[in-house]
Structure formats: C-alpha cells, structure tokens
Amino acid sequence: MASHEDILLEEEFAQKRMSASTFWRLASYVRPYKRTFFLNLVFTILATFSQLLGPKFIQLGIDRYLTNFSTARAAMIGIGIISAVYLVNLMFNWVLSIIQVRSAIAIGHGTLEDLRLAVFEHIQRLSLNYFDKTHQGRIISRADTDIGSLERIMTWGANQMLASILTLIGVIALMVQYDWRLCLAVSVVLPPLWAATQLFHKFGMRAYRRVREQASRLTASLAENIAGVRVVQAFSRQEENLANFEELQNVYFERFLVSARVFHTYMPFLGVMSGVGSAIILGYGGHLVMERQITVGELAAFVLYLGMFFGPIQTMGDLYNAVLSSAASAERIFHLLDTVPQVRNRPNAQPLPAMRGHVVFENVFFRYDTTPPEVWVLKEINFEARPGETVALVGHTGSGKTSIISLITRFYEPQKGGILVDGIDLLSATIESLHEQIGIVTQENFLFTGTVMENLKFGRPDATDEEVISAAKTLGTHEIILRLPNGYQTKMNERGANLSAGERQLLTFTRAMVAQPRILILDEATSAVDTTTEKMIQHALEELFARRTCFVVAHRLSTVRNAHRILVLQQGEIVERGTHEELLAKGGRYAALHREFVRH
C-alpha cells in the first residue's frame, strides 16, 4: 500500500489551488513552441472576430431586406448577397478552426512529450533511497496518469480561454451598442450566476483533487498486485486483494460521483440562466420592438449574442474543471522533478581514469533513510581489495553484504568514513565514470524487452556482435543461447519471462562480461543456477575473475572457496576475514556457516 508520506503529500496538494509558480513552470514547457503558440492565438482572435460577425449579418438581412424593402426582387437580391457573405464568413471561420486545432494539438502533444521525457530522465537519475520510500505505483502515476491529465489545459487551455474572454468582451460591447436597456434587463441573472460560480470553484476544487488522489491510490494498488502476482497466487490472496481493490474502487467511485454532481449541477444551472435571460430579452425586447424603439433584426441579433454570452461562461467553467483536475497532477509532477537525488556528483567532481580496481574501505558507517537513527546497517567497515583480487562477502541475511556492494557502486553513500578506488575518494569522482567501469550481476536477473543480443549489449551498446559471441563462448553460455528459438535474435518478453530463471541468470552473466568492467560484482548471482550449471561456468568465472577486481556475495559457499579474501559479516560488522582454508581452521563463524552449507 501507499506510504504515509505519500498520502500526506496527496492531502497537501488536495487542499490548495494551482500556485502561480506551478502555472508559470507549466507555461515554460510551451516556450520551445512559442512561434506556433502565438500563431495559434492570432488564428483564435481572427476566428472569434469572424464568429462575432455572424449575428450582425443576420440583423442586416432582417432589417434591410425582410422588414424594410422596396421590391421583392430587390429583397431577394439583398438576401442572396447577405447569405453569400454569411456563408463566406462561415467558411473562413471553418478554415481558421482547422488551423487552430492542428496547431493546438502540435503544441499540446509537444509540451506533454517534453514533460514526460523530463520525468523519465529524472526518475533514472534519482537515488535508490527515493525508491525505498516511494511506492512504485505512485512513480508510474506521475509519468502516466498525472501527465495525461494535463492534456486538456496544455492543448486547449490558452486558445479556449482567449476565445472565451474575447467573445465575452465583444458580445457585451455589441449588446450595449444595440440597446443598453436590454443589457440592464438581462443583468438580473448575473448575481445568481456569480454566486453559483463561486460555489463551483469552492466545492469543485475539493472534489476534483480528491478524485485525483484516489486515482493515484488505485494505480499504486494495481502496480503492486501486478508486480507481486506470483506471491499473490502462491498464497491464494486473490479474493482478499480483490476485496481491498474493490474497496479502493468504491471510494474512487464515490468521490467521482461527488465531483460529477458538482459539475453537472453547475452546468445545467448556466443553461437555466441562459433560458431566463432569453425569456427576459424576448419579453422586454418584444415590447421595445412594438414601440419601434429597436428593430426586429436588432432583437434577433441581441438574442443570438445573448446565447454567445453564456457559451464562453460554460466553456470557462469546463476549463476550470480541467484546471482543478490537473493542478494537483502538475504539483505532484513538479514535486517529483524537484526531488534532488541524494547521491549526485559534487560540484568539482572529476571523471575517474581507467581503473586498476584497487578498492579500500576506511572506517565506513552506513544506514538507510528508512533505518532507525540509532541503528547502523554497517559499522567500522575496513578492508582492502587489490587489483585482480576476488573478495567474498558471506553472512546471514541482513548482515550487510548487499549494503557493502551498494556503497561500492555508489547507489548509496556512507554517513561516515570513506571509500577509495585507486586512491581516489568516490565522492570526488563522477558517478557516470564509476558505473561505466563496473559490472554487476544480481539475483534478480532482470532482462529488458528486446532481443537477447540487445540485452547483452545493454552495458556497452557499441560492442560488436562478434565481441558478444566471444564473451558468451568464454563464459560457456554460447551453446545455451543458440538453443533458444532464434538464438541471439530471440525476443524477450517483459522481464525475460519466456526464459527459465537459470537461463536469465546466465544471460546476465554474459551481459556483465560484454561490458568489460574493471570491477565485477556478483550479488547472489548463482542463486538461480543449478549445481550442474554452476560447475559448468565455474572455470570460466575463475578466468574472468583473474583479470579484474571482483566482489562476490553468496550464500552458496562453493562459489567463494577460491576467493583471495573472505569477509564474514554479522549484524553489520566484519567478524572474520581470511582465505577459505584459514577460516575453516579457525573454527569460528565461517566454519559454522560452512557446516550448515555442507549439511544442506
């Protein structure tokens, strides 16, 4: 489920309007398309002006050629001319609308693509501590659902708002020009209209933010259940999880109904006010016509302009609804983009030169952000790995083995002490230059969608096919790959689901080798490989280990026998160190672990 911090964040955003800073930050994504944007506004102005001319043509047709004409022929010719001009104006408006729509779509989709790329790029740069604290579904929601909810305002917001404002100004000016008394008469609908708009803003903002909040919870729950579907099925949790999801769905539905009631109460009310205004105009305007104080054409134009007056109000109400539903999304997106990676390059960081692989830990203390402040995950860690050496890390689960690996790769940084590579403090080096020279194989054996060859080149995209095949032959995985349906061109399903766990693990070995790392890390890397396969690749691993500094984390002690140094960890401390034979001779913690391994 979502973390408490996530929920508090949602509640915070649900209680406030879009800030000016958020608005201008969204507007900054339109800047690369400013030429198209301004052209779109120009066409919007022309289209609005064209639309305002329509009732004027009708008024001229009625007053000059229907109610006041000399001959029938003259009236027909006049009506024909007015109709032709009216039709040309409609066609002009239609062409402008096409250009408007196309340019608006280009701007909207361009800005959303840029924003989505910015979010994706930033997510990849975030430190692992962020993912430790943030629910996966929430992160997916930022890059997908939240960005999608911005489509309406980013695509149509500017031109619809401009068109509505210009239409309102133009309509009011023209109605006043026709007869100020009619304007005054129809103004009786404005106070209830203003009150309804204020209530809509108040309750609408609250309702639509709560809908977005619950939608994010739904996404988080769905992502969690998909990721853990094997565990769900293994423990027969389908019914319980379905009940939990249904409860979330019910809350979403209830909140959606509330927001729908708010919106669909306000919009029909606008229609009622429009009807009341029209009734007032027809009644009072009809009286003025009978008194010959205004013409029939002017009354007809006034009624048409009155309809145009309420149209922009409805549009702006709908647009405000879109802003309400997207404001919280924008704030959450920018909250993500403003999250500073905990592990990042220092201002004067320099790229690491080609590494020899000499690694030194000097009195290192470390804890995770989620660890209680009085507890150290690692404490007083001191060791040295010389170039070409293999260092094994053994110990029970939770002893700190993977934490040491995470510090070597600089996924995290220690709170105390230092880590040196070839005499250079890792904090003074760029992260990219470190990762370019490190290869890592974990027990997760993660593969990406694509071909086997593309996955093997993941760490070094410029590697040739021949280099990949040579690495596979050296490792002993070449024949296994050839047995796949299309060999190296076999398509991988998501996470490599069409391969066995052992096959995926062997491919991750090969991928690490293709990257030609100076430091190689195996974190429980043989956990998914059976004993026979492990023996088959053992010789190849020894050859590869001889040319680089290697760190091996393993519960299977058979993989660490030949390590130059074995570090035994217990509760975050190194309690023993030495070779396999030395530690067995001591009869201490390692010897006890070895006896457990042999028994099983």
Side-chain angles (χ1 to χ4, degrees):
M1 297 301 296
S3 71
H4 181 63
E5 289 184 7
D6 281 342
I7 295 172
L8 287 179
L9 179 64
E10 299 286 357
E11 294 294 342
E12 176 189 349
F13 289 153
Q15 299 301 320
K16 62 180 185 179
R17 300 171 184 268
M18 179 185 286
S19 63
S21 61
T22 300
F23 171 81
W24 288 113
R25 193 166 177 183
L26 271 178
S28 70
Y29 282 87
V30 181
R31 192 172 296 123
Y33 309 94
K34 60 183 178 182
R35 182 178 178 182
T36 306
F37 178 76
F38 286 118
L39 284 175
N40 177 269
L41 295 185
V42 169
F43 288 123
T44 298
I45 294 170
L46 292 175
T48 304
F49 180 73
S50 170
Q51 187 180 18
L52 288 171
L53 288 177
K56 188 70 175 177
F57 291 136
I58 291 174
Q59 181 247 316
L60 290 174
I62 293 173
D63 288 344
R64 290 189 180 183
Y65 302 109
L66 290 182
T67 61
N68 185 21
F69 58 89
S70 56
T71 64
R73 178 179 175 80
M76 290 297 294
I77 292 173
I79 288 295
I81 294 173
I82 289 292
S83 298
V85 173
Y86 186 79
L87 183 61
V88 169
N89 184 60
L90 282 178
M91 295 298 294
F92 179 63
N93 189 273
W94 176 64
V95 172
L96 291 174
S97 297
I98 291 175
I99 298 173
Q100 255 187 295
V101 169
R102 290 185 176 179
S103 57
I105 290 174
I107 296 165
H109 282 257
T111 54
L112 292 182
E113 285 178 9
D114 293 344
L115 188 57
R116 190 173 282 111
L117 286 173
V119 169
F120 184 83
E121 180 184 12
H122 189 70
I123 288 173
Q124 293 191 108
R125 291 204 315 266
L126 287 173
S127 306
L128 293 189
N129 73 304
Y130 178 81
F131 301 94
D132 293 338
K133 299 184 294 184
T134 309
H135 199 284
Q136 180 185 15
R138 296 287 168 120
I139 301 171
I140 295 173
S141 181
R142 301 297 168 268
D144 183 20
T145 310
D146 283 337
I147 290 180
S149 70
L150 298 176
E151 182 175 5
R152 168 70 191 280
I153 63 170
M154 298 302 289
T155 304
W156 311 109
N159 60 6
Q160 284 189 347
M161 181 59 70
L162 178 62
S164 298
I165 292 173
L166 290 178
T167 300
L168 281 176
I169 294 173
V171 163
I172 292 172
L174 288 167
M175 288 195 301
V176 170
Q177 177 192 351
Y178 279 122
D179 195 284
W180 64 270
R181 293 167 297 180
L182 286 176
C183 284
L184 190 62
V186 81
S187 66
V188 299
V189 304
L190 295 181
L193 189 62
W194 178 85
T197 302
Q198 293 302 308
L199 289 173
F200 174 69
H201 289 180
K202 177 181 178 181
F203 293 103
M205 180 177 66
R206 184 185 308 165
Y208 285 102
R209 294 289 178 88
R210 286 171 63 81
V211 168
R212 296 299 314 143
E213 169 198 336
Q214 191 63 17
S216 186
R217 285 194 174 100
L218 272 175
T219 303
S221 177
L222 184 61
E224 183 178 58
N225 277 274
I226 291 174
V229 66
R230 295 177 187 274
V231 178
V232 171
Q233 293 181 1
F235 286 93
S236 298
R237 283 279 306 182
Q238 293 94 327
E239 293 300 324
E240 289 84 351
N241 286 11
L242 178 60
N244 292 336
F245 188 80
E246 187 176 11
E247 183 179 347
L248 290 172
Q249 177 69 23
N250 289 338
V251 173
Y252 174 81
F253 181 68
E254 290 171 3
R255 294 185 178 185
F256 179 80
L257 282 180
V258 171
S259 66
R261 289 190 196 105
V262 172
F263 182 72
H264 292 290
T265 299
Y266 177 68
M267 287 304 172
F269 181 77
L270 291 182
V272 170
M273 290 296 99
S274 176
V276 171
S278 297
I280 293 173
I281 294 305
L282 288 174
Y284 183 54
H287 170 71
L288 293 177
V289 170
M290 296 299 292
E291 294 291 327
R292 298 188 179 277
Q293 297 186 35
I294 63 172
T295 66
V296 175
E298 289 173 339
L299 178 60
F302 202 99
V303 171
L304 292 173
Y305 281 127
L306 183 63
M308 294 173 67
F309 175 81
F310 285 99
I313 293 178
Q314 289 179 321
T315 299
M316 287 192 289
D318 188 31
L319 190 60
Y320 188 78
N321 163 42
V323 171
L324 289 181
S325 63
S326 59
S329 296
E331 288 161 351
R332 288 194 295 263
I333 290 168
F334 292 135
H335 183 271
L336 169 62
L337 290 175
D338 290 338
T339 301
V340 179
Q342 188 181 64
V343 178
R344 59 188 184 277
N345 291 329
R346 299 299 191 269
N348 298 317
Q350 297 296 320
L352 283 171
M355 293 192 309
R356 294 182 298 114
H358 185 198
V359 179
V360 178
F361 272 56
E362 294 181 341
N363 202 36
V364 168
F365 285 73
F366 172 71
R367 70 163 66 94
Y368 295 100
D369 288 351
T370 54
T371 306
E374 69 278 1
V375 177
W376 290 104
V377 174
L378 296 174
K379 46 192 172 184
E380 295 187 63
I381 300 298
N382 292 278
F383 70 85
E384 178 182 10
R386 297 184 180 88
E389 284 189 342
T390 297
V391 175
L393 305 173
V394 300
H396 285 304
T397 301
S399 59
K401 306 183 297 297
T402 299
S403 297
I404 289 178
I405 296 304
S406 296
L407 293 179
I408 295 172
T409 54
R410 207 178 161 191
F411 291 153
Y412 299 90
E413 293 176 345
Q415 283 78 21
K416 297 180 182 179
I419 303 171
L420 309 179
V421 174
D422 295 345
I424 301 172
D425 190 333
L426 283 186
L427 298 182
S428 66
T430 62
I431 299 170
E432 298 78 17
S433 65
L434 173 67
H435 290 171
E436 285 170 358
Q437 301 185 69
I438 288 182
I440 185 167
V441 182
T442 69
Q443 59 184 335
E444 295 176 359
N445 52 61
F446 192 97
L447 295 174
F448 294 87
T449 303
T451 65
V452 170
M453 182 64 75
E454 289 168 345
N455 268 279
L456 298 182
K457 292 182 179 180
F458 190 80
R460 191 160 68 94
D462 59 343
T464 64
D465 291 357
E466 290 73 22
E467 288 176 317
V468 173
I469 293 171
S470 174
K473 287 180 177 178
T474 302
L475 196 59
T477 57
H478 178 66
E479 296 300 325
I480 295 173
I481 294 172
L482 291 181
R483 288 200 294 270
L484 298 175
N486 294 305
Y488 285 87
Q489 298 307 316
T490 300
K491 292 282 187 181
M492 296 289 96
N493 293 342
E494 186 178 3
R495 294 175 176 263
N498 53 329
L499 301 182
S500 69
E503 288 171 332
R504 291 197 299 271
Q505 194 74 78
L506 291 171
L507 289 183
T508 59
F509 270 114
T510 311
R511 178 172 64 191
M513 296 308 105
V514 172
Q516 297 180 349
R518 292 306 309 149
I519 295 177
L520 179 64
I521 295 171
L522 305 183
D523 188 0
E524 300 286 1
T526 60
S527 60
V529 178
D530 57 55
T531 306
T532 303
T533 306
E534 182 183 354
K535 289 179 180 178
M536 179 188 74
I537 65 173
Q538 196 65 42
H539 177 68
L541 287 177
E542 290 173 1
E543 289 186 354
L544 292 164
F545 286 175
R547 298 196 297 272
R548 50 183 53 87
T549 304
C550 300
F551 293 88
V552 181
V553 175
H555 280 108
R556 264 189 207 169
L557 299 188
S558 59
T559 60
V560 304
R561 289 175 181 272
N562 299 323
H564 295 88
R565 192 174 299 104
I566 298 173
L567 305 179
V568 184
L569 287 103
Q570 186 174 2
Q571 296 181 350
E573 296 182 88
I574 299 176
V575 294
E576 290 181 353
R577 65 182 76 204
T579 64
H580 175 71
E581 291 76 16
E582 291 171 348
L583 293 176
L584 284 181
K586 283 183 179 179
R589 186 64 189 155
Y590 180 81
L593 290 171
H594 188 265
R595 285 194 297 271
E596 290 179 20
F597 171 70
V598 171
R599 263 200 314 271
H600 293 88

